[in-house]
Structure formats: C-alpha cells, structure tokens
Amino acid sequence: LGKGFAHSEAPSYVVLNDATDEQKSVIALAVFTKGQIKAIVYAVNYVMRSIFTQSKIDIVTILATQFLIALENYERQHELELIVQKRTEELSQVNDQLQQMNAQLLQSEQERKYFLQHISHDLRSPLTSVLGYIEALQSDMVIPEHKKVQYLARSKTRLLSLQHLIKDLFDMTQLEASQLELRFELMTVEQLIVYIEELMDYELTTE
C-alpha cells in the first residue's frame, strides 16, 4: 500500500497481482491535490494475474499525472473565471454609478442653462424700471410730491427684487459646489399658509 499519488510527488500506488477470481490483477493510484484526495485512477485485468509489470505501472502513473495536471489546470481556470466574474460585476456596478452621475450632471447642466436663459429678463426688468423712475425724477418735468414718493417706493421694491434674485444666484452657485447648508424648521399649517401668502404678495408687488 502506498500513500497515494500527488502532483510533483513520487508516485504511490497499490498493485494486486493476485486479486479475486473475477479481477485477476488490479492497480490503483490515489490522486491528491491541495491535501485532499480528488480521484482514484485504477486499472483492472480480468484475464491474467501478475499483469502489471513496472512498465505498465509507469504507464498508469503517467496517466494519473496527466489527469492531475488537467485537474489542477481546470481548478485554476475555474478560480480565474470566478475572479474575472467578480471584477466584471464590480466594473458593471461602477459603470452604472458613472452613468447615473453623468445623467445627474446632464440634468444639472440643462437646468443651469434654462436658469441662465431666463435670468437675463429677470435682471433687466427691475433695472429698467429703476432707471425709468430715476430718469423721471431727474427730468425737468413737474412731478407732484406724492408721485416722487411713489417712484422712490417702486424703485426700492425693484431693487429689493433684484437683491433677492442675486441671492438666488449665489445660493445656486453654493448648491452646485455642495456648499449650501440647508436648514429645516417645523411649522404649522397656519404658519405655512401665512408664509405662502406673504411670498405671493411679494411676488405681486415686484411685478
């Protein structure tokens, strides 16, 4: 009896040249890899006893060696396939994340372009109104005192609207740079309604 056969080790085998009545000669080799038995390579002769000479034992040993090499190559290939599969899944996840980021960047860019396209009108409108009131006050026209007060009040309203717009621009810049700090506060439904009414009154006043 031998200890088995492992790749890069001396061949070990079992030879029974006088086995049973049916199996006259038997040779068996245990194939080990990574410390575990993987297979048993054996040959049986049903006709003659003492058939397994050293040359035949060498042939069976060579066959077992080739089988073990093939088995180890298969296991290495399988391990490599698992590694490649894992890396492919990781790359696929990274690719999906990049696609999502690109979609978000594209959406942000479209929103920024839309905002810039409409902001020119919002900037020009209050400036035009204020310049009109100032030119009227500087002209030689006789303007009643209450009209002057009205012009000044409207100019202030337009300038406040412009200040509000500039603040929105600044907030948008901070938001794109991830520097905008959002503050949350609780309010009742009544407070929310009052806030919306004040906001709408302000928007109507600046029109």
Side-chain angles (χ1 to χ4, degrees), residues 1 8 17 31-32 38-39 55-56 59 75 80 91 105 116 121 126 135 140 150 164-165 180-182 185 192 198 207:
L1 293 178
S8 300
N17 281 322
V31 179
F32 289 87
K38 293 295 184 179
S55 61
K56 291 183 174 61
I59 293 175
E75 290 180 346
L80 288 175
L91 289 175
L105 288 174
L116 292 177
H121 170 74
E135 289 174 356
D140 296 332
Q150 187 179 15
H164 180 73
L165 184 59
L180 183 63
E181 181 181 356
L182 299 177
E185 60 181 65
L192 179 60
E198 291 177 350
E207 290 294 332

Side-chain angles (χ1 to χ4, degrees), residues 184-201:
F184 299 92
E185 60 181 65
L186 296 174
M187 62 172 57
T188 63
V189 176
E190 291 78 9
Q191 291 174 328
L192 179 60
I193 294 175
V194 171
Y195 172 78
I196 294 175
E197 289 177 346
E198 291 177 350
L199 184 63
M200 293 179 64
D201 290 341

Side-chain angles (χ1 to χ4, degrees), residues 83-125:
I83 293 174
V84 171
Q85 181 180 0
K86 181 179 179 181
R87 295 292 184 269
T88 302
E89 292 175 354
E90 291 175 351
L91 289 175
S92 177
Q93 292 177 357
V94 172
N95 185 54
D96 292 340
Q97 292 175 356
L98 288 175
Q99 288 182 351
Q100 292 178 359
M101 292 176 61
N102 288 334
Q104 292 175 354
L105 288 174
L106 179 61
Q107 182 179 0
S108 298
E109 180 65 17
Q110 291 175 345
E111 292 175 352
R112 187 182 67 85
K113 288 181 179 180
Y114 177 83
F115 184 77
L116 292 177
Q117 288 174 355
H118 291 78
I119 199 173
S120 59
H121 170 74
D122 295 336
L123 286 172
R124 185 169 58 249
S125 180

Side-chain angles (χ1 to χ4, degrees), residues 171-187:
D171 290 343
M172 187 190 74
T173 303
Q174 285 189 316
L175 184 62
E176 289 183 345
S178 300
Q179 296 178 351
L180 183 63
E181 181 181 356
L182 299 177
R183 291 176 298 178
F184 299 92
E185 60 181 65
L186 296 174
M187 62 172 57

Side-chain angles (χ1 to χ4, degrees), residues 3-9 30-39 68 71-72 75-76 79:
K3 64 178 180 178
F5 176 74
H7 188 41
S8 300
E9 295 181 2
V31 179
F32 289 87
T33 178
K34 296 181 180 179
Q36 295 180 348
I37 185 169
K38 293 295 184 179
L68 179 59
L71 180 62
E72 290 180 344
E75 290 180 346
R76 291 194 189 99
E79 290 175 357

